[in-house]
Amino acid sequence: MRFPSLFVIGLLFCAALPGCKKPPAQSQAPPPGRPSGTPLTVATLEPCALLQPAEIAEVQETKIEPGKPSASNEGAFRMAQCFYTADENSKSVNLAVTQRNPANPKRSPKEFWTETFHRGQSASGDVEEKERDGAAVAKGEEENEKSAPPRQVAGIGDDAYWMGRDALYVLKGDLFFRISVGGPEPVESKLDKARKLAGHVLERLPHAR
């Protein structure tokens, strides 16, 4: 199986960890976290309500500040993310959620996922299209995600892949999210932490349509 360029994937999913820019600070306070098992509707879906600082602190073993939200409705998708700053800065965590863009709903995140991870890529024109789709919602290049192909991870959401050293991508219905876990730990330890955090996110996601 051939995978598309990881640079293309990185453009769409660039997270605010070393190698990427932090999302801009927001003047509005982040939405409060919701209890585990309380679903959110798509209309009110905000990443900072999907994962709580205490849950991150438990796996990262350091104090975590309340998340800082940012969002963009430009391009093919709506991408909202929440950056959780750790006392040990290298252990910060970023959660990014990709949904249909209400202003441009023709493009399906699930279809994009299938094209990216399951269909392979042979036409340069298709790669250029993906670059255009992702450029408006994420900037930068993540070198650590270019060193190895995506690794499928069983038992999480509808489908899941681990990329590079710190990023877990999870598909659920017609949206997907990425959890980036900072820190000096080996890859397997980071994957285990990301799986635990993904479980909290999945408990709070609305039922897939």
Side-chain angles (χ1 to χ4, degrees):
M1 171 189 283
R2 295 185 58 193
F3 289 100
S5 166
L6 295 189
F7 167 69
V8 175
I9 302 174
L11 280 175
L12 178 61
F13 303 119
C14 183
L17 287 173
C20 289
K21 296 181 179 179
K22 272 191 180 183
Q26 303 290 311
S27 57
Q28 183 178 359
R34 302 195 182 193
S36 177
T38 302
L40 303 175
T41 64
V42 172
T44 61
L45 185 59
E46 295 295 343
C48 290
L50 298 176
L51 195 56
Q52 301 195 30
E55 294 164 343
I56 300 172
E58 183 178 356
V59 300
Q60 291 293 69
E61 298 181 341
T62 186
K63 182 180 178 182
I64 302 292
E65 298 295 327
K68 296 181 179 179
S70 63
S72 172
N73 287 325
E74 299 178 7
F77 306 116
R78 179 181 189 270
M79 181 175 178
Q81 57 184 332
C82 190
F83 185 78
Y84 299 86
T85 303
D87 267 8
E88 298 178 53
N89 193 56
S90 66
K91 291 189 174 184
S92 298
V93 167
N94 193 77
L95 170 64
V97 180
T98 301
Q99 299 174 267
R100 287 181 186 262
N101 183 349
N104 183 25
K106 294 182 180 180
R107 193 82 159 112
S108 163
K110 184 176 182 179
E111 291 175 358
F112 177 86
W113 178 282
T114 300
E115 292 168 4
T116 300
F117 290 111
H118 294 288
R119 189 171 296 171
Q121 196 65 57
S122 58
S124 60
D126 290 339
V127 170
E128 291 173 358
E129 179 184 353
K130 285 183 171 58
E131 289 175 342
R132 289 195 298 269
D133 286 345
V137 295
K139 297 180 181 179
E141 178 175 351
E142 297 189 51
E143 294 293 340
N144 64 334
E145 291 189 6
K146 296 168 63 178
S147 59
R151 166 186 167 188
Q152 193 163 25
V153 181
I156 310 176
D158 297 335
D159 196 16
Y161 281 86
W162 178 259
M163 286 180 57
R165 291 187 53 81
D166 62 13
L168 177 65
Y169 299 84
V170 180
L171 174 70
K172 185 62 177 176
D174 196 31
L175 63 80
F176 55 84
F177 62 89
R178 162 184 168 148
I179 296 177
S180 293
V181 179
E185 294 87 353
V187 168
E188 291 304 319
S189 177
K190 287 187 176 182
L191 173 56
D192 183 58
K193 291 180 178 183
R195 287 177 65 108
K196 292 177 181 177
L197 297 178
H200 294 304
V201 173
L202 288 167
E203 287 176 351
R204 298 186 178 107
L205 282 177
H207 294 294
R209 288 182 297 178

